[in-house]
Amino acid sequence: MYRVKCCFCICCLRCLGLLSICLLNGGTLSAQVAKNTGDSLRQMDLSDVVITATRTERALSTVPMPVTIINQAQIRQMGSLRLNEILQEQTGLAIVTNHGQGIQMQGFDPDYTLILIDGEPLVGRTAGTLELSRIAVGNIKQIEIVKGPTSSLYGSEALAGVVNIITETPTRTSAQLSSRYGTNRTADLSAGINLKNKDLGVYLFANRYASGGYDFTPETFGQTIEPFAAYTFQTKLYYTFHKALKLQLSGRFYSETQASNFALNSGTAAEQRISGEGLVQDYNLAPTLEWRVSERWKSIFRLYHSQYQTRSALNYQSDNSLYEATFFTQHFTRLENQTEYFIHENHYLTLGIGHLWEDVSATRYERKQLFETIYGFAQYEWTPSERWNITAGARLDAHSVYGSQISPKAALQYEFSPKWALRASVGRGFKAPDFRQLYLNFNNAAAGYAVLGAEELPRIIGEWQSQGLISELLLDPTLLGNIRAESSTAYNLGFRARPLPKLRWTLNLFRNDVQDLIETQVVARRTNGQNIFSYRNLSAIYTQGVETDLSYVLSPSFTLSGGYQFLDAKDKEVLDQIDAGQLFSRDPQTLITRRITRQDYGGLFNRSRHMANVKLFYNHEKTGTTANLRAVYRGRYGFGDRNGNLILDDDSEYVPGFWTLNATAAKRFYKQMFQFQVGCENLLNQQNQQMMPNMPGRLWWASLSCQL
């Protein structure tokens, strides 16, 4: 049921919408003004522009926020197959495994980074993690990474930043075919076709990715990673009706099946083997109409619909009876209008308004759950001189369940000289409680606990109390069901420089103060002793640090680059407890208890204090030869609490730091139409079967591709 909690906010949205409509229909611009603006909008249609930071096309050098670009040539030289393989080698990003492989940015968990494909959100997260291996990279033209909160443009989930995957656009008739085979019977086959005829362009892409998996524990039933097969189909079509009106239609379908095998009471006489198969599917469709009303004025109408679903059925091997069957289905639909208005040579305005609908049906939800959000955003860019670029904006989201959020942001860039530019930004981001945190109803009687979403908690606790099933309530009854969106205030300060013709250098200092972090907490206890967990706003944390990238052209064929991030991420309440002398650690050997100090506290789990990378790329155009060597370091990070004080403070609680080394070499031949490439990932054969089961060890592969 849709409940608006802030009438003022709705009024603001309506006003914003009226303003947008007025800009769309408010009359004819004078011919003199159009003449003065020239072809400013069209001048931005350059290939080396970024879109994500401002939702408009801008030269990277003018964007006042930290933005990283990974282009198609680099992706192909790396020989990567899936998105996680590319992101894990970028400065300041770490792949973390929690119900899938997600991205950690500026110390934030994967829940807080928005993943976009051509500007549209990819849905389907498990416990907050969006599995990055769902995304094939064979049709990616460019990846844009914006760090720092971008909720002022994108709303919830963009609290840490945004990763936008720009796919191929049909600009000429061509075709690509590639195949790859490697360790663990991993096979990848991709095909892409570009068709271009005057005003019509069509791009089709298909990919099959499969693996036989691997097993660290052959003595037990079931592999560490079971065999799987995934298929991706993607298309993009555009038609130019005339120079001012263009239609684009894009779509994607993804399907993955994976075996599941494990044993209950493994290694005992009572062992029971369970087998089955899981299915993951998502599809989306996005028609977009771009109307260039005048040289000053462009309006874009977008409709986006996506579905994500999972299915699994597990049976006992002994009699083929059902052990468990689960399903999860999520729909996401968004209608949006974005208007860009070139007020003057130095003033640029972007306005947007939209409405989105989300619903979820799942085994662990009692009924179909619905969200609605009405939102509007405005962004103003001002370039008072060639040295200055000032951008300010805000977004208002009116949510049907948790109320309204305002997300402002301001950024500036000042060029001291063509070689040095200072960048600074401050902004607020938020993350809305997800369906799981609001509506989950999961009772694991075998393990002895239940987890209830905040919205379900008051009703179910009331029912269980009336039935005499609650022995103790551990939370003030007035707080039951009370949950707020998480929010963060972020600061970024840095520079980009080119002190030497062959040297590029960027540096960024960042600080994020997060309030109302949502965590699980025991809220009640049943008469049978089972704990009841729910979600509450508990903690305030901060993440801060510095990251820097250097790139140097050694020769026309060799480029050397490197990056480093220092990260400090801690819970403020833990620091307060340490200062108050309330936290202790007990040595399990000597049983001596001591008081924890700030120096003992290692911060949030799963964060590395130091991360670095060094890459050497070789590219000889004349002979069609390329090669590269990439080293990535991840410093030690906390895995879990072992001494029972719930914080990271003991050396035994860390995963040791490690280097991974990846290399590829390629040769183009026969008029440079074909390419043969070989590579090895994890040359040092790093493995940690207990703490990093998703790292299988050294992987060799070879590929053959053709460009027509």
Side-chain angles (χ1 to χ4, degrees):
M1 182 178 177
Y2 183 64
R3 305 197 306 268
V4 177
K5 296 186 177 180
C6 180
C7 296
F8 171 77
C9 297
I10 293 297
C11 291
C12 291
L13 283 171
R14 286 173 177 166
C15 291
L16 188 60
L18 287 172
L19 180 58
S20 179
I21 292 169
C22 288
L23 284 175
L24 281 169
N25 305 292
T28 305
L29 298 172
S30 71
Q32 183 61 45
V33 170
K35 182 180 178 181
N36 291 339
T37 58
D39 198 12
S40 302
L41 286 172
R42 198 168 298 150
Q43 288 172 3
M44 296 167 190
D45 294 334
L46 304 174
S47 59
D48 56 346
V49 300
V50 294
I51 303 171
T52 314
T54 59
R55 291 190 71 153
T56 55
E57 297 167 339
R58 291 288 180 272
L60 178 63
S61 59
T62 65
V63 174
M65 303 89 161
V67 180
T68 301
I69 289 180
I70 308 165
N71 59 35
Q72 189 177 63
Q74 185 179 349
I75 294 170
R76 290 182 174 174
Q77 278 201 45
M78 293 168 64
S80 302
L81 298 178
R82 316 306 279 188
L83 184 62
N84 52 308
E85 299 170 18
I86 298 170
L87 297 185
Q88 68 184 357
E89 297 188 8
Q90 308 309 312
T91 303
L93 303 183
I95 295 295
V96 296
T97 302
N98 179 17
H99 295 82
Q101 295 191 60
I103 194 70
Q104 183 188 96
M105 183 184 296
Q106 291 196 345
F108 283 98
D109 282 332
D111 320 31
Y112 304 89
T113 297
L114 184 63
I115 307 295
L116 306 173
I117 296 182
D118 292 324
E120 304 293 351
L122 192 63
V123 303
R125 293 174 182 258
T126 303
T129 298
L130 195 146
E131 175 58 68
L132 297 174
S133 66
R134 284 166 51 194
I135 304 168
V137 304
N139 63 333
I140 292 179
K141 178 182 177 184
Q142 179 169 293
I143 299 172
E144 299 177 9
I145 303 168
V146 183
K147 296 176 181 174
T150 46
S151 295
S152 61
L153 290 173
Y154 296 99
S156 180
E157 296 181 7
L159 192 146
V162 173
V163 176
N164 191 10
I165 299 145
I166 312 296
T167 63
E168 283 273 14
T169 298
T171 55
R172 61 188 178 90
T173 297
S174 62
Q176 310 87 39
L177 182 66
S178 69
S179 62
R180 173 175 146 171
Y181 188 80
T183 307
N184 297 329
R185 292 180 287 131
T186 301
D188 185 270
L189 182 63
S190 292
I193 300 175
N194 266 306
L195 301 173
K196 181 71 172 67
N197 181 19
K198 289 188 65 177
D199 299 325
L200 175 66
V202 180
Y203 179 70
L204 302 171
F205 173 76
N207 171 261
R208 181 184 187 274
Y209 174 58
S211 172
Y214 57 90
D215 193 9
F216 286 143
T217 56
E219 69 279 7
T220 61
F221 178 64
Q223 295 188 188
T224 304
I225 298 295
E226 296 284 357
F228 64 85
Y231 297 85
T232 303
F233 301 94
Q234 208 155 344
T235 184
K236 188 181 287 185
L237 176 151
Y238 77 80
Y239 185 78
T240 303
F241 295 98
H242 56 78
K243 64 179 182 180
L245 191 63
K246 184 168 73 175
L247 174 68
Q248 177 176 294
L249 177 64
S250 58
R252 163 192 153 95
F253 175 77
Y254 174 82
S255 180
E256 175 190 329
T257 56
Q258 183 171 27
S260 181
N261 296 291
F262 61 92
L264 303 175
N265 304 312
S266 179
T268 69
E271 178 175 300
Q272 291 180 299
R273 294 188 170 185
I274 311 295
S275 294
E277 189 174 80
L279 170 71
V280 177
Q281 284 186 340
D282 73 69
Y283 76 81
N284 58 58
L285 192 64
T288 301
L289 185 65
E290 180 182 308
W291 179 25
R292 192 180 296 271
V293 184
S294 71
E295 294 296 340
R296 286 175 173 264
W297 179 358
K298 183 169 75 174
S299 192
I300 305 169
F301 300 88
R302 299 186 179 100
L303 175 64
Y304 177 70
H305 176 74
S306 181
Q307 175 182 289
Y308 170 82
Q309 66 170 354
T310 64
R311 298 282 187 277
S312 73
L314 301 173
N315 297 296
Y316 291 97
Q317 275 196 353
S318 55
D319 58 4
N320 204 34
S321 61
L322 182 66
Y323 168 73
E324 183 184 52
T326 62
F327 75 94
F328 179 95
T329 303
Q330 178 181 5
H331 295 99
F332 180 99
T333 304
R334 184 178 71 183
L335 182 64
E336 182 182 271
N337 169 248
Q338 177 178 321
T339 295
E340 302 168 25
Y341 187 70
F342 198 84
I343 301 170
H344 184 266
E345 182 179 359
N346 302 325
H347 303 270
Y348 197 86
L349 181 65
T350 304
L351 297 173
I353 187 168
H355 193 158
L356 65 87
W357 300 262
E358 293 179 82
D359 67 71
V360 164
S361 303
T363 312
R364 294 174 178 176
Y365 297 158
E366 288 198 345
R367 56 193 175 279
K368 187 175 184 178
Q369 303 293 350
L370 305 170
F371 281 169
E372 280 189 63
T373 303
I374 300 173
Y375 64 89
F377 60 85
Q379 178 180 262
Y380 175 68
E381 298 170 66
W382 180 35
T383 52
S385 71
E386 291 184 354
R387 293 176 178 267
W388 284 95
N389 184 311
I390 300 172
T391 301
R395 170 166 164 150
L396 175 64
D397 287 79
H399 194 278
S400 59
V401 176
Y402 65 84
S404 301
Q405 293 288 321
I406 297 178
S407 306
K409 183 169 185 176
L412 64 85
Q413 175 171 286
Y414 179 74
E415 284 192 1
F416 293 98
S417 71
K419 295 181 179 180
W420 292 87
L422 176 73
R423 298 184 302 200
S425 64
V426 58
R428 180 182 184 275
F430 78 99
K431 179 183 176 299
D434 57 30
F435 283 101
R436 166 184 53 110
Q437 293 163 336
L438 291 173
Y439 300 116
L440 183 66
N441 183 355
F442 176 60
N443 187 9
N444 191 336
Y449 70 93
V451 186
L452 303 175
E455 289 286 311
E456 297 291 320
L457 184 64
R459 179 181 60 81
I460 296 177
I461 286 288
E463 292 176 357
W464 286 350
Q465 281 182 315
S466 64
Q467 298 168 18
L469 299 176
I470 300 296
S471 65
E472 187 179 7
L473 196 59
L474 305 174
L475 187 68
D476 182 345
T478 61
L479 298 178
L480 293 178
N482 186 5
I483 191 171
R484 302 178 299 278
E486 300 166 276
S487 63
S488 170
T489 303
Y491 311 89
N492 284 269
L493 175 65
F495 62 79
R496 60 173 177 81
R498 197 163 189 172
L500 300 171
K502 297 181 179 181
L503 178 65
R504 292 185 179 184
W505 180 21
T506 62
L507 184 140
N508 186 55
L509 304 167
F510 61 88
R511 163 94 182 186
N512 298 282
D513 285 295
V514 186
Q515 300 83 39
D516 296 326
L517 200 69
I518 297 174
E519 295 185 353
T520 54
Q521 184 188 31
V522 179
V523 296
R525 190 165 291 121
R526 298 184 66 170
T527 51
N528 61 3
Q530 292 184 353
N531 288 325
I532 301 170
F533 293 84
S534 187
Y535 299 92
R536 292 196 60 216
N537 298 100
L538 286 177
S539 300
I541 67 167
Y542 71 82
T543 73
Q544 61 184 11
V546 58
E547 64 176 42
T548 184
D549 277 295
L550 284 164
S551 174
Y552 187 76
V553 180
L554 297 171
S555 72
S557 298
F558 283 97
T559 301
L560 178 67
S561 65
Y564 168 77
Q565 176 183 272
F566 170 80
L567 175 67
D568 180 29
K570 291 180 177 171
D571 188 323
K572 295 180 180 178
E573 294 183 9
V574 170
L575 291 174
D576 290 341
Q577 289 179 304
I578 291 174
D579 292 341
Q582 298 172 345
L583 278 178
F584 300 88
S585 174
R586 189 178 192 187
D587 190 308
Q589 303 297 326
T590 63
L591 302 182
I592 295 175
T593 300
R594 64 181 179 84
R595 186 170 276 116
I596 299 291
T597 66
R598 282 192 173 228
Q599 287 69 34
D600 298 324
Y601 179 41
L604 303 180
F605 288 99
N606 216 354
R607 273 78 171 177
S608 293
R609 199 170 179 81
H610 306 280
M611 294 196 299
N613 62 77
V614 181
K615 304 171 189 174
L616 179 64
F617 280 85
Y618 171 76
N619 184 12
H620 196 263
E621 285 291 337
K622 188 175 181 180
T623 60
T625 306
T626 63
N628 59 75
L629 186 65
R630 294 119 48 206
V632 181
Y633 174 72
R634 183 167 185 195
R636 72 170 191 165
Y637 59 91
F639 179 75
D641 175 46
R642 291 183 184 274
N643 56 11
N645 60 7
L646 303 180
I647 67 167
L648 177 62
D649 66 300
D650 191 87
D651 285 343
S652 66
E653 298 171 342
Y654 285 90
V655 176
F658 61 92
W659 283 91
T660 54
L661 195 60
N662 307 316
T664 67
K667 172 70 177 175
R668 293 191 294 273
F669 58 98
Y670 190 66
K671 301 178 182 179
Q672 302 214 5
M673 291 172 52
F674 293 88
Q675 176 178 279
F676 179 70
Q677 189 175 33
V678 294
C680 183
E681 298 166 16
N682 194 4
L683 265 167
L684 303 177
N685 199 29
Q686 292 285 353
Q687 288 185 347
N688 189 326
Q689 300 176 11
Q690 297 294 324
M691 299 177 179
M692 298 185 296
N694 282 325
M695 184 175 281
R698 189 179 295 117
L699 300 173
W700 294 93
W701 54 267
S703 73
L704 181 65
S705 60
C706 175
Q707 176 82 37
L708 300 175

